């Protein structure tokens, strides 16, 4: 701290520290607040303190990122209501494949779908079907479900729309969509291959002929009649047409991504069969609130100058955030400490250029597989698996997540260091 920082700056720092403590803990002690509630409360505190006016707070929000995120939530809701995800998962699971080939197919499908429709949505849609069909075929569902969670995280790194942090990085740093895909596609594809290889050949792995020794003696109530949206060919075709059109727009035009996505979402909302309230019910409003709250709190903290002073001090010690090695360590550490979206928000103001953006997008996403709490997608899989009668704890996740994260980050580091 330096003398020029007065009481207002101290107040902002207190709010900032409190908010990020909430990000680490998942809430605040003795209060019924989750991360979104903490971020919203922090934004209210900053405005109430007089550090920002309501107009300044509104200006602090990166509206293109929020609009892009909302629009793709609408597209994903259309695909869920049309039964697309469930139909694809069932079709893959019905293929006459052995255990290892089936595992590879599920990993591949989860990775590809997550690159377009968001990893959290894919885990929400695929987890009950994968658990159901594994139990039905007397296969241990745990490797399949962990593979699904890790593949959804890895696959979402392939594009700038696969997860919220990539949308933010792409919007703030103005990364070209096609250029990013060309750089990210190879390390993402190889990382999915590493995930499959670890699940198949790792020490202590399940043998191909084994059945689940820990399967519930009694399958969950309603097991034989899995509840899922019925497949609707027209609604699915409509959603796929919009998603395909958006990908083409992103790849081959300079049309602002958030505007194109909003138009696509508007087209999907023009429906005579799917009520808009049903579609809106699938929007992750708490995530949008989390983004808005953190934008305001982070902007207030940046205005104190303390973050900039810290970066200058680190640079004087020879630690430069633009260095790939430093950014990799910072991205992994912060992503598992406060979660990847808040971590990216903290790092982004101090980065510039395409290379730093690509590195941060890949690192923050791959790091989500390290711990069970490192990604919302992991928690979704565990929660839905529990409802299907399959228990997955943090140790079971760590036996896959830790080595897979280290292997994929090692691969990424080699790719970053590769000349040219």
């Amino acid at each position: 701290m330096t003398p020029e920082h007065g009481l207002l700056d101290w107040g902002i720092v207190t709010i900032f520290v409190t908010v990020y403590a909430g990000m680490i803990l998942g809430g605040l002690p003795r209060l019924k607040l989750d991360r979104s509630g903490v971020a919203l409360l922090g934004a209210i505190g900053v405005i109430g303190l007089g550090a920002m006016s309501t107009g300044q707070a509104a200006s602090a929000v990166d509206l293109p990122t929020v609009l892009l995120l909302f629009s793709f939530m609408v597209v994903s809701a259309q695909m869920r209501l049309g039964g697309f995800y469930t139909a694809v998962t069932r079709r893959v699971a019905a293929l006459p494949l052995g255990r290892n080939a089936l595992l590879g197919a599920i990993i591949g499908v989860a990775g590809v779908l997550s690159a377009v429709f968001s990893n959290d949505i894919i885990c929400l849609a695929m987890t009950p079907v994968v658990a159901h069909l594994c139990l039905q075929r007397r296969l241990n569902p745990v490797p399949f479900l962990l593979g699904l969670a890790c593949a959804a995280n890895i696959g979402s790194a392939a594009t700038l729309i696969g997860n919220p942090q990539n949308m933010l990085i792409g919007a703030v740093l103005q990364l070209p969509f096609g250029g990013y895909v060309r750089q990210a596609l190879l390390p993402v594809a190889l990382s999915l291959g590493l995930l499959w290889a670890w699940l198949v050949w790792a020490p202590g792995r399940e043998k191909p002929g084994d059945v689940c020794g820990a399967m519930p003696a009694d399958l969950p109530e309603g097991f034989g009649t899995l509840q899922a949206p019925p497949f609707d060919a027209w609604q699915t075709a409509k959603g796929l047409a919009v998603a395909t059109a958006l990908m083409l727009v992103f790849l081959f035009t300079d049309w602002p991504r958030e505007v194109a996505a909003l138009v696509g979402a508007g087209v999907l909302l023009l429906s005579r069969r799917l009520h808009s309230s049903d579609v809106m019910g699938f929007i992750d409003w708490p995530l949008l609130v989390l983004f808005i709250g953190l934008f305001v709190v982070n902007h207030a903290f940046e205005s104190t100058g303390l973050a900039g002073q810290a970066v200058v001090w680190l640079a004087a010690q020879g630690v430069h955030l633009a260095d790939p090695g430093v950014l990799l360590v910072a991205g992994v550490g912060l992503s598992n400490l406060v979660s990847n979206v808040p971590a990216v928000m903290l790092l982004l103001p101090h980065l510039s250029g395409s290379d730093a953006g690509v590195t941060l997008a890949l690192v923050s996403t791959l790091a989500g597989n390290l711990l069970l709490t490192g990604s919302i997608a992991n928690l979704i899989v565990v929660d839905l698996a529990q409802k299907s009668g399959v228990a997955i704890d943090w140790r079971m996740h760590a036996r896959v997540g830790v080595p897979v994260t280290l292997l994929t980050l090692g691969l990424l580091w080699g790719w970053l260091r590769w000349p040219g």
Side-chain angles (χ1 to χ4, degrees):
M1 285 285 182
T2 55
E4 66 267 20
H5 296 293
L7 289 176
L8 181 60
D9 284 352
W10 277 103
I12 294 172
V13 169
T14 300
I15 292 173
F16 177 84
V17 171
T18 302
V19 167
Y20 276 86
M23 297 301 107
I24 295 171
L25 300 173
L28 294 178
R30 300 181 182 276
L31 295 174
K32 297 293 185 180
L33 287 172
D34 58 9
R35 286 186 173 93
S36 298
V38 173
L40 177 60
L41 190 62
I44 293 171
V46 165
I47 296 170
L49 194 64
M52 301 173 73
S53 67
T54 53
Q56 290 171 326
S59 298
V61 177
D62 192 281
L63 192 57
T65 301
V66 174
L67 293 178
L68 184 63
L69 185 56
F70 166 80
S71 299
F72 269 90
M73 287 179 181
V74 172
V75 175
S76 292
Q78 173 80 20
M79 303 306 291
R80 286 190 71 188
L81 290 169
F84 171 73
Y85 303 130
T86 301
V88 169
T89 309
R90 283 176 166 163
R91 184 71 60 87
V92 170
L95 294 173
L97 301 174
R99 175 193 177 274
N100 292 343
L102 178 61
L103 181 60
I106 289 174
I107 286 173
V109 168
V112 171
L113 291 179
S114 294
V116 180
F117 298 112
S118 176
N119 53 348
D120 295 350
I121 298 296
I122 299 307
C123 288
L124 276 167
M126 289 184 65
T127 298
V129 184
V130 170
H132 174 90
L133 293 170
C134 284
L135 292 173
Q136 195 173 54
R137 293 175 60 164
R138 306 302 294 176
L139 290 170
N140 184 355
V142 173
F144 288 83
L145 293 172
L146 292 176
L148 167 62
C150 291
N153 286 327
I154 294 170
S156 72
T159 70
L160 291 174
I161 56 173
N163 56 57
Q165 65 269 19
N166 279 20
M167 292 183 189
L168 175 61
I169 293 167
V172 172
L173 296 182
Q174 295 294 298
L175 299 183
F177 190 89
Y180 175 84
V181 171
R182 285 191 293 272
Q183 289 184 275
L185 197 57
L186 180 59
V188 166
L190 293 176
S191 294
L192 289 172
L194 280 176
L195 168 63
W196 178 81
W198 180 265
L199 289 171
V200 171
W201 290 306
R205 69 191 184 280
E206 177 192 1
K207 303 299 187 297
D210 290 349
V211 296
C212 178
M215 286 176 66
D218 297 315
L219 293 177
E221 184 180 353
F223 173 79
T225 56
L226 181 64
Q227 297 297 313
F231 180 70
D232 187 317
W234 166 246
Q235 297 301 333
T236 294
K238 186 178 174 182
L240 285 175
V242 169
T244 302
L246 289 177
M247 291 295 287
L248 293 174
V249 168
F250 295 164
L251 287 169
F252 301 112
T253 78
D254 294 326
W255 197 9
R257 289 195 284 270
E258 70 278 4
V259 176
L262 269 177
V263 171
V267 170
L268 293 178
L269 289 172
L270 291 172
S271 175
R272 294 193 300 174
R273 299 178 63 182
L274 294 181
H275 200 285
S276 59
S277 63
D278 294 332
V279 176
M280 294 300 175
F282 284 101
I283 302 300
D284 191 347
W285 299 107
L287 180 59
L288 296 176
V289 170
L290 175 71
F291 263 75
I292 292 169
L294 289 180
F295 274 129
V296 174
V297 172
N298 286 358
H299 186 80
F301 182 67
E302 288 292 327
S303 71
T304 68
L306 289 167
Q309 290 172 14
V311 171
V312 170
W313 181 85
L314 286 172
Q317 312 308 310
V319 179
H320 301 275
L321 278 180
D323 180 77
V326 174
L327 187 54
L328 188 147
V329 172
V332 173
L334 284 173
S335 292
N336 281 280
L337 187 65
V338 299
S339 186
N340 42 27
V341 169
V344 165
M345 285 188 168
L346 284 174
L347 293 170
L348 261 183
H350 312 289
L351 300 176
S352 62
S354 175
D355 289 343
V358 172
T359 300
L360 180 59
L362 290 169
V363 166
S364 62
T365 302
L366 295 179
N369 282 329
L370 184 67
L371 302 175
L372 181 58
T373 55
S375 166
I376 297 298
N378 299 339
L379 298 175
I380 288 171
V381 170
V382 170
D383 181 59
L384 293 179
Q386 181 68 42
K387 293 177 181 177
S388 297
V390 181
I392 301 176
D393 60 24
W394 69 268
R395 293 182 183 86
M396 298 166 73
H397 178 275
R399 284 196 289 270
V400 173
V402 171
V404 165
T405 302
L406 295 178
L407 286 170
T408 54
L409 287 174
L411 170 69
L412 176 60
W413 176 247
W415 174 78
L416 291 172
R417 303 291 292 180
W418 190 265

